[in-house]
Amino acid sequence: MTAVRTVLVSGASIAGPTLAHWLHRRGIRATVVERAPAPRPGGYAIDLRGKALDVIERMGHLPEVCDRVTEMRRGTVVDSRGRRRAGFDTGLLSAEERSVELLRGDLVHILHCPTTEYTEYLYDDSVTGLQQHEGGVHVTFEKAAPRTFDLVVGADGLHSNTRGLAFGPEEPLARFLGAHISIFTVPDHLGLDREARLYNTPGKLVGVYSTPRAEGAKAIFALHAADRTGPERRSSGEQQRYLRKAFTGIGWESDRLLRAMAHTEDFYFDSITQIRMDRWSSGRVTLLGDAGYCPSPLSGQGSSLAVVGAYVLAEELARHTDAARALAGYEARMRPYVRANQDIAGSGMRFLAPRTRFGIASRDLLVRLSPLMRSLGTFTGKLGRAAEAVDLDAPAP
Ligand SMILES: Cc1cc2nc3c(=O)[nH]c(=O)nc-3n(C[C@H](O)[C@H](O)[C@H](O)COP(=O)(O)OP(=O)(O)OC[C@H]3O[C@@H](n4cnc5c(N)ncnc54)[C@H](O)[C@@H]3O)c2cc1C
């Protein structure tokens, strides 16, 4: 396969604009197609950790990112009447690692804005067909005229359209972690200041948190589930009915948050799922970020994998004249890092929503002991190590 000079990227969230930046720096032309009519503002708080911060620094964005950190201060576990059961200092959770937390919409804004000067963005459009041939990939769109690119990169998230077109159905590649999650904006009726409050009944979590730079507060509902594809693919109305059925009357602020859900404008609901694939490339189509290796929100590492993946992919495309070797290099460098970060997610729901009352009490005890655990170096060590487990400098040829 010949060298890559033109790339179509599907998806303009975190992975897409980061790749557009690094392709431009390497002299490769990017066109980005995004289904939404504009970059999506707002959203939940995300973390950038370890080597992803080095990539952000190399892009020159670290000062802007640091200006927008959410600075969450504490988490409080409450009982059904809102009384404190346990609490933790959020600084403690990240003390063992390099990390910053900011709103997803702020990060997208920082990444996207400078790239508009040199990147062609096609908003409100989507790829409908990919046909590979000797000279590249012939791409058809819902709206734009068909074109040929040297490479197509799917950066279009967990339910990637590109992955579907190039690799087939999602189901065999999806690893369901046994839970559903919903998050949406509600009025901050508790008057929280950089604080998260969490309430559990066996197998269920209700939470609210507020951050600076965001309107109102975010409500979170999470619950264990046996079946991934049940509510996930239904309409948001049906997903809301599913949540009402599971959470009505369970205590604390649950009913009030469910009432607010009916009026929210940014309702998000999905299964907690990883994407695990044997290979991320098929000829001249490759996958990046959640599309290829979603680690799930339980790992807290999806944004970091997307940022680092974009950097490594662009570097490999620039240093190989043969596209197949570049894609093999991308995969070889990223795979151990991806695996280490995907492995973190496994125990997340056991901690967030223990299945029994005994489990909830044990978790609360663990939270109370967190200062001691910090001194033993056991709390965040695994996450901190996984976040650093990639070399940003290409191996010698
Ligand atoms: C509740 C929640 C909490 C999270 N917390 C964290 C955290 O603390 N830390 C962390 O690192 N990560 C977190 N994540 C994960 C993080 O948001 C994702 O891993 C990250 O956004 C992945 O970036 P991406 O660019 O690969 O994909 P996405 O952000 O999913 O973006 C995909 C883009 O593709 C677009 N698109 C979709 N279909 C098409 C199509 N057919 N054509 C064109 N465009 C399309 C979408 O509109 C979107 O803009 C969390 C996720 C959730 C849901």
Side-chain angles (χ1 to χ4, degrees):
M1 270 195 260
T2 52
V4 168
R5 292 280 160 260
T6 59
V7 176
L8 176 74
V9 185
S10 175
S13 171
I14 295 172
T18 309
L19 183 63
H21 170 106
W22 286 108
L23 289 176
H24 175 69
R25 292 264 290 257
R26 313 281 182 199
I28 300 172
R29 205 176 138 62
T31 298
V32 182
V33 57
E34 163 61 51
R35 190 178 52 185
R40 286 181 299 154
Y44 39 85
I46 53 147
D47 301 293
L48 286 172
R49 286 194 186 82
K51 290 290 166 71
L53 287 173
D54 295 336
V55 174
I56 294 288
E57 185 169 28
R58 290 180 189 193
M59 294 171 85
H61 292 328
L62 198 55
E64 285 168 279
V65 163
C66 291
D67 276 353
R68 288 168 173 78
V69 292
T70 50
E71 289 180 298
M72 287 292 284
R73 287 183 183 144
R74 64 189 165 276
T76 308
V77 182
V78 298
D79 68 11
S80 63
R81 292 165 61 188
R83 291 172 305 200
R84 187 179 189 279
R85 284 172 64 106
F88 56 91
D89 168 1
T90 50
L92 199 66
L93 293 177
S94 52
E96 306 280 319
E97 67 202 30
R98 298 190 293 146
S99 75
V100 296
E101 185 186 74
L102 73 166
L103 297 180
R104 188 183 156 286
D106 280 345
L107 179 61
V108 171
H109 179 79
I110 292 168
L111 295 171
H112 167 262
C113 277
T115 64
T116 55
E117 283 174 26
Y118 47 77
T119 304
E120 179 189 18
Y121 278 93
L122 307 173
Y123 280 105
D124 200 15
D125 207 347
S126 177
V127 172
T128 53
L130 299 171
Q131 221 175 6
Q132 300 203 37
H133 52 81
E134 195 56 31
V137 190
H138 181 73
V139 182
T140 51
F141 298 91
E142 277 175 14
K143 293 184 180 151
R147 279 155 73 176
T148 295
F149 297 88
D150 294 338
L151 181 75
V152 172
V153 179
D156 38 12
L158 171 61
H159 304 300
S160 167
N161 176 50
T162 313
R163 192 184 58 230
L165 292 170
F167 293 87
E170 180 171 309
E171 215 42 46
L173 311 171
R175 183 166 180 253
F176 178 47
L177 298 186
H180 290 115
I181 187 166
S182 179
I183 184 161
F184 50 89
T185 301
V186 294
D188 183 13
H189 61 270
L190 294 175
L192 301 175
D193 179 18
R194 299 162 209 229
E195 182 189 350
R197 291 209 192 141
L198 307 170
Y199 168 65
N200 291 102
T201 61
K204 296 176 186 175
L205 166 77
V206 184
V208 191
Y209 71 87
S210 90
T211 62
R213 305 186 51 76
E215 291 282 314
K218 295 278 183 267
I220 306 173
F221 288 83
L223 73 165
H224 290 268
D227 177 15
R228 172 182 182 227
T229 50
E232 180 194 300
R233 294 300 167 95
R234 295 188 211 147
S235 69
S236 58
E238 287 168 307
Q239 290 164 345
Q240 294 193 5
R241 272 197 290 285
Y242 169 76
L243 289 177
R244 269 188 222 106
K245 193 168 170 211
F247 286 93
T248 297
I250 72 162
W252 188 51
E253 295 288 331
S254 190
D255 289 0
R256 192 203 296 246
L257 295 171
L258 289 170
R259 281 195 298 277
M261 178 174 74
H263 307 289
T264 193
E265 289 182 359
D266 60 357
F267 179 72
Y268 169 90
F269 180 100
D270 214 326
S271 65
I272 299 187
T273 296
Q274 294 187 332
I275 296 297
R276 295 209 178 202
M277 302 176 70
D278 293 339
R279 59 194 170 95
W280 300 326
S281 303
S282 169
R284 288 179 170 271
V285 179
T286 194
L287 301 172
L288 172 66
D290 274 10
Y293 34 84
C294 175
S296 88
L298 292 181
S299 78
Q301 279 292 86
S303 311
S304 293
L305 294 188
V307 165
V308 172
Y311 175 86
V312 172
L313 175 58
E315 189 173 62
E316 291 296 317
L317 288 171
R319 80 191 190 100
H320 292 286
T321 48
D322 176 43
R325 288 187 62 192
L327 296 177
Y330 161 58
E331 186 147 342
R333 285 173 65 189
M334 284 295 291
R335 204 165 265 285
Y337 171 60
V338 165
R339 178 48 66 93
N341 284 286
Q342 288 190 325
D343 285 349
I344 289 164
S347 57
M349 275 305 279
R350 284 203 295 280
F351 187 80
L352 285 176
R355 285 179 182 275
T356 61
R357 294 208 174 279
F358 176 73
I360 294 171
S362 309
R363 189 277 320 273
D364 290 351
L365 182 64
L366 200 70
V367 169
R368 282 186 220 113
L369 291 176
S370 55
L372 173 66
M373 297 190 67
R374 179 195 172 190
S375 69
L376 294 175
T378 54
F379 205 70
T380 56
K382 200 174 167 196
L383 176 58
R385 279 195 298 281
E388 304 285 350
V390 62
D391 193 348
L392 293 184
D393 297 316

